[in-house]
Amino acid sequence: GIYAATLSSAIASLVGAPRILQAVANDKLFPFKFLTYFAKADKDGNPIRGYFLSFGVAFCCNLIGELNAIAPLISQFFML
């Protein structure tokens, strides 16, 4: 059960984060010009550019390979 819950949470984060990034970029909540790059979606409304960013962040975290080095950073993101 705990493995299924962990996998479900991880997949929800990988799918939800790009959509939140797209919404923030569309609403122009922050005055950063580079965020407009992530506002674009495909014809079905999927934030493909955000998916690639999420994949890149997850891949880089996996390359670090030490959970104790990544845990404080991930904790800070979830507290936001």
Side-chain angles (χ1 to χ4, degrees):
I2 197 157
Y3 293 119
T6 303
L7 182 63
S8 172
S9 178
I11 291 173
S13 294
L14 286 175
V15 172
R19 294 187 183 276
I20 293 170
L21 179 64
Q22 181 186 23
V24 167
N26 281 334
D27 293 342
K28 296 183 174 88
L29 293 178
F30 299 107
F32 304 122
K33 297 287 183 188
F34 70 90
L35 282 178
T36 57
Y37 178 78
F38 296 104
K40 187 171 177 159
D42 67 355
K43 62 180 178 163
D44 296 326
N46 294 318
I48 300 299
R49 294 176 178 176
Y51 287 140
F52 281 117
L53 178 66
S54 292
F55 172 77
V57 169
F59 187 73
C60 289
C61 287
N62 282 331
L63 285 178
I64 292 173
E66 186 175 335
L67 185 59
N68 290 332
I70 301 167
L73 178 67
I74 292 175
S75 298
Q76 290 297 321
F77 283 133
F78 276 104
M79 287 177 14
L80 290 176

